[in-house]
């Protein structure tokens, strides 16, 4: 059953070929077996899932209308609130915090009868590129257990790559769904800023964050985007007007399309990854793509800008963890000041602390002009350069990262870890939609993805190209050995 796509499982359920209880039992057994090896889940909703599945079966028997995700096995990153369950962001400071409400994306999944199996591991507060910064456990890359899965949505990528569920949700502030998708050989989609509601997502960088789906195929991503890519009153930055509505590639691009490639920005790319990228461009040509050169050399400053604007927002957002309102309260504390100091000292890991310090520094009076305000100006230039590029082309193609997944412990220098996102942060700074598609394996077997971006609000157009690419090729059907195990 796990070899079927989300849409196929849904259709079989709707047609009465399989029951929701069968689906739930099958995937629960797989999770119990495989997750011991890869460690993607922080919590499995064991008790609820069978009850929910039997309710869904009863609904089908009563012949009530079934939702667009009916029967689809889903899991979500642990920074997305699900009523009645812990939301920890893989941080000790939130241990014990039970969410009193559903994020809008969760409400939408429930309305469309999706089955939510549990919460997935991540870098603490979504800060990181390897998933090694979780306070709780190590998540391993199913292609090679000695490699990192990528981050910060590492659990969300691994749960798909090892076929433990069919669609997951992650969050992407600077590349956190696209990078692990690339390292694990799966597809992922980050919409235009504001396309998916951030209500109920634990905020990291409020001007950058987007929730997005991960799955094997763009068809499954598209189904999820139809469900969650809708206007939400509870998020003031939610796009109003048209919701995400699929576009037919054959109709929309029957006269071809143009792809911009910033060739001079690709110099840092490792040779084998470059070969995969070049082959991707050839495939796009086969689909009718005309390749033009665009100038995005401004992106050489993207990491610097991201870590100034980002840390300013991160430190602001993390100030709410005071030992009083959520989760952990230090037992060493004797006074009110102690409660703040010790709870934050004991609760946050090294990376959040590093970013709180950096963010507080760039926002402090005297440095605000020099760093934060300057970074905002450069962000505007990045937005303008993307607009220039999109005046010449429909889509921009980029790699996702300079190479494939690396071994645990290899990247020790935080700055080097930050550089992993060199190709992804631009889309967050400019607020444009971007997706990561599996595009082959390096000679040693590690998967590598490629990236495609579009103008703001052209989410469905972007998805249509991903679907066309996956009709033409079969990279997205590759599975690691672990996924082929089990019944
Ligand atoms: N790796 C980037 C960071 O550490 C991006 C994280 C994200 O997208 N959540 O901030």
């Amino acid at each position: 059953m796990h070899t079927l796509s989300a849409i196929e499982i849904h259709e079989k359920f709707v047609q009465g070929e399989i029951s929701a209880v069968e689906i739930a039992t099958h995937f629960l057994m797989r999770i119990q077996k495989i997750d011991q090896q890869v460690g993607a889940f922080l919590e499995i909703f064991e008790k609820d899932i069978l009850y929910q599945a039997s309710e869904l079966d009863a609904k089908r028997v009563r012949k009530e209308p079934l939702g667009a995700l009916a029967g689809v096995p889903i899991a979500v990153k642990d920074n997305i609130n699900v009523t009645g369950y812990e939301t920890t962001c893989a941080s000790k400071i939130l241990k014990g915090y039970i969410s009193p409400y559903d994020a809008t994306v969760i409400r939408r999944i429930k309305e469309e009868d999706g089955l939510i199996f549990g919460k997935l591991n991540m870098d603490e507060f979504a800060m990181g590129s390897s998933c090694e910064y979780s306070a709780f456990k190590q998540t391993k890359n199913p292609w090679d257990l000695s490699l990192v899965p990528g981050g910060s949505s590492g659990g969300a990528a691994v749960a798909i790559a090892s076929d433990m569920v069919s669609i997951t949700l992650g969050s992407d502030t600077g590349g956190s769904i696209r990078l692990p998708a690339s390292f694990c050989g799966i597809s992922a989609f980050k919409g235009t800023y504001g396309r998916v509601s951030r209500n109920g997502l634990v905020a990291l960088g409020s001007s950058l964050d987007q929730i997005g789906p991960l799955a094997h195929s763009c068809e499954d991503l598209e189904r999820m985007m139809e469900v969650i890519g809708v206007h939400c009153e509870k998020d003031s930055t939610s796009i109003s007007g048209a919701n995400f509505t699929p576009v037919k590639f054959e109709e929309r691009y029957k006269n071809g399309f143009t792809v911009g490639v910033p060739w001079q920005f690709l110099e840092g790319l490792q040779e084998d990854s470059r070969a995969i990228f070049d082959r991707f461009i050839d495939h796009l040509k086969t689909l009718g793509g005309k390749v033009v050169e665009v100038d995005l050399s401004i992106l050489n400053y993207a990491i610097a800008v991201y870590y100034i604007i980002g840390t300013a927002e991160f430190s602001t957002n993390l100030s709410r963890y005071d030992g009083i309102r959520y989760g952990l309260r230090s037992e060493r504390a004797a006074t009110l000041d102690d409660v703040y100091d010790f709870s934050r000292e004991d609760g946050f890991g090294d990376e959040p602390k590093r970013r709180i310090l950096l963010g507080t520094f760039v926002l402090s009076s005297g440095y605000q002009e020099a760093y934060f305000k300057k970074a905002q100006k450069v962000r505007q230039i990045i937005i303008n350069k993307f607009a220039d590029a999109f005046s010449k082309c429909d889509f921009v193609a980029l790699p996702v990262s300079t190479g494939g997944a690396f071994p645990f412990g290899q990247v020790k220098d935080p700055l080097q870890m930050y550089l992993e996102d060199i190709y992804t942060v631009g889309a967050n700074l400019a607020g444009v939609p971007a997706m990561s598609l599996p595009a082959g394996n390096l000679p040693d077997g590690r998967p590598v993805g490629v990236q495609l971006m579009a103008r703001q609000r052209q989410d469905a157009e972007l998805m249509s190209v991903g679907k066309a690419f996956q009709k033409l090729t079969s990279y997205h059907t590759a599975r690691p050995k672990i996924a082929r195990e089990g019944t």
Side-chain angles (χ1 to χ4, degrees):
M1 196 187 302
H2 53 275
T3 54
L4 302 173
S5 72
I7 291 180
E8 285 165 345
I9 292 176
H10 166 74
E11 275 162 9
K12 280 193 189 297
F13 169 70
V14 172
Q15 279 151 22
E17 287 172 42
I18 42 176
S19 71
V21 168
E22 279 167 339
I23 298 170
T25 314
H26 176 86
F27 282 95
L28 258 187
M29 276 168 58
R30 264 187 85 72
I31 294 169
Q32 272 149 6
K33 182 157 178 257
I34 295 176
D35 204 45
Q36 286 171 8
Q37 301 171 66
V38 292
F41 281 84
L42 284 178
E43 183 172 8
I44 303 164
F45 299 170
E46 253 160 298
K47 282 195 292 299
D48 272 10
I49 195 74
L50 288 171
Y51 173 74
Q52 270 176 33
S54 60
E55 292 274 290
L56 187 56
D57 282 334
K59 192 169 175 180
R60 189 180 58 179
V61 170
R62 291 195 302 268
K63 298 206 165 16
E64 281 174 34
L66 296 167
L69 292 173
V72 176
I74 294 162
V76 301
K77 188 176 181 176
D78 200 22
N79 57 355
I80 298 175
N81 283 293
V82 180
T83 307
Y85 286 101
E86 226 179 5
T87 301
T88 69
C89 293
S91 178
K92 281 191 282 189
I93 208 160
L94 275 173
K95 196 72 197 138
Y97 170 71
I98 307 287
S99 176
Y101 72 110
D102 279 333
T104 296
V105 291
I106 299 297
R107 174 176 62 76
R108 288 291 302 130
I109 290 172
K110 289 181 177 174
E111 282 168 2
E112 297 297 335
D113 295 325
L115 297 170
I116 303 175
F117 277 69
K119 303 298 273 305
L120 299 159
N121 199 22
M122 56 188 280
D123 285 298
E124 185 173 357
F125 282 105
M127 299 176 185
S129 304
S130 68
C131 210
E132 291 171 285
Y133 297 153
S134 165
F136 301 129
K137 71 197 288 192
Q138 194 176 55
T139 299
K140 296 176 178 157
N141 191 315
W143 289 85
D144 177 341
L145 299 181
S146 69
L147 302 177
V148 302
S152 64
S153 314
V158 170
I160 297 296
S162 46
D163 283 334
M164 292 192 285
V165 287
S166 304
I167 308 179
T168 56
L169 291 184
S171 65
D172 192 311
T173 307
S176 274
I177 59 176
R178 287 164 285 155
L179 189 71
S182 170
F183 282 9
C184 292
I186 62 163
S187 308
F189 191 88
K190 179 204 89 73
T192 303
Y193 179 74
R195 179 69 286 168
V196 177
S197 171
R198 290 180 295 116
N199 171 53
L201 167 71
V202 178
L204 177 59
S206 306
S207 75
L208 304 155
D209 295 341
Q210 268 297 283
I211 294 175
L214 299 90
H216 284 295
S217 71
C218 288
E219 282 192 349
D220 286 352
L221 294 179
E222 184 175 73
R223 175 62 59 96
M224 182 56 96
M225 282 305 293
E226 283 184 79
V227 171
I228 62 174
V230 295
H231 176 68
C232 170
E233 282 173 4
K234 291 186 175 151
D235 174 356
S236 61
T237 58
S238 170
I239 295 177
S240 51
N243 293 337
F244 181 100
T245 312
V247 159
K248 283 204 173 68
F249 176 81
E250 296 75 12
E251 286 170 20
R252 179 76 168 76
Y253 298 107
K254 60 176 182 294
N255 298 323
F257 59 95
T258 42
V259 189
V261 185
W263 294 109
Q264 76 294 15
F265 182 56
L266 303 185
E267 271 151 26
L269 198 54
Q270 290 162 18
E271 204 179 306
D272 294 326
S273 305
R274 174 63 191 249
I276 288 175
F277 181 77
D278 288 347
R279 191 173 60 192
F280 172 58
I281 298 297
D282 287 340
H283 289 311
L284 292 178
K285 287 182 188 159
T286 310
L287 289 171
K290 185 169 154 296
V291 177
V292 295
E293 175 152 16
V294 290
D295 178 13
L296 285 173
S297 46
I298 186 74
L299 291 179
N300 286 310
Y301 303 104
I303 291 286
V305 171
Y306 172 82
Y307 278 94
I308 294 173
I309 292 181
T311 55
E313 295 184 8
F314 307 161
S315 68
T316 309
N317 277 324
L318 293 184
S319 65
R320 64 174 64 103
Y321 305 107
D322 53 8
I324 294 173
R325 283 176 285 189
Y326 308 91
L328 180 121
R329 179 171 307 163
S330 173
E331 289 182 1
R332 296 190 285 144
T335 65
L336 182 61
D337 278 348
D338 284 357
V339 171
Y340 299 146
D341 291 350
F342 293 149
S343 301
R344 287 168 73 82
E345 166 74 40
D346 300 348
F348 286 131
D350 288 347
E351 190 58 29
K353 281 180 188 157
R354 183 158 32 239
R355 296 191 190 199
I356 289 168
L357 289 174
L358 198 56
T360 309
F361 174 75
V362 299
L363 285 176
S364 56
S365 64
Y367 292 105
Q368 223 186 76
E369 288 288 333
Y371 295 105
F372 186 65
K373 296 254 169 76
K374 195 177 272 178
Q376 279 184 313
K377 286 181 189 150
V378 183
R379 181 180 193 176
Q380 188 57 50
I381 300 175
I382 292 175
I383 294 170
N384 297 346
K385 291 282 180 188
F386 265 105
D388 287 352
F390 284 123
S391 68
K392 290 201 202 116
C393 62
D394 298 306
F395 306 103
V396 166
L398 276 174
V400 182
S401 63
T402 51
F406 44 84
F408 286 96
Q410 179 174 292
V411 180
K412 292 200 181 67
D413 175 9
L415 277 182
Q416 200 193 332
M417 191 70 93
Y418 296 172
L419 287 172
E420 284 298 317
D421 299 316
I422 176 90
Y423 296 122
T424 52
V425 294
N428 303 79
L429 288 167
V432 300
M435 70 181 166
S436 173
L437 301 166
N441 297 68
L442 297 170
D444 60 12
R446 289 175 298 156
V448 165
V450 288
Q451 215 186 162
L452 217 47
M453 299 176 183
R455 284 179 206 117
Q456 282 200 349
R457 296 183 184 231
Q458 300 249 306
D459 302 57
E461 286 79 359
L462 179 62
M463 191 73 91
S464 80
V465 186
K467 276 173 52 179
F469 170 70
Q470 293 185 337
K471 261 189 207 149
L472 180 72
T473 60
S474 58
Y475 304 114
H476 64 290
T477 62
R479 299 284 185 275
K481 204 163 136 272
I482 241 178
R484 286 183 250 124
E485 281 170 10
T487 46

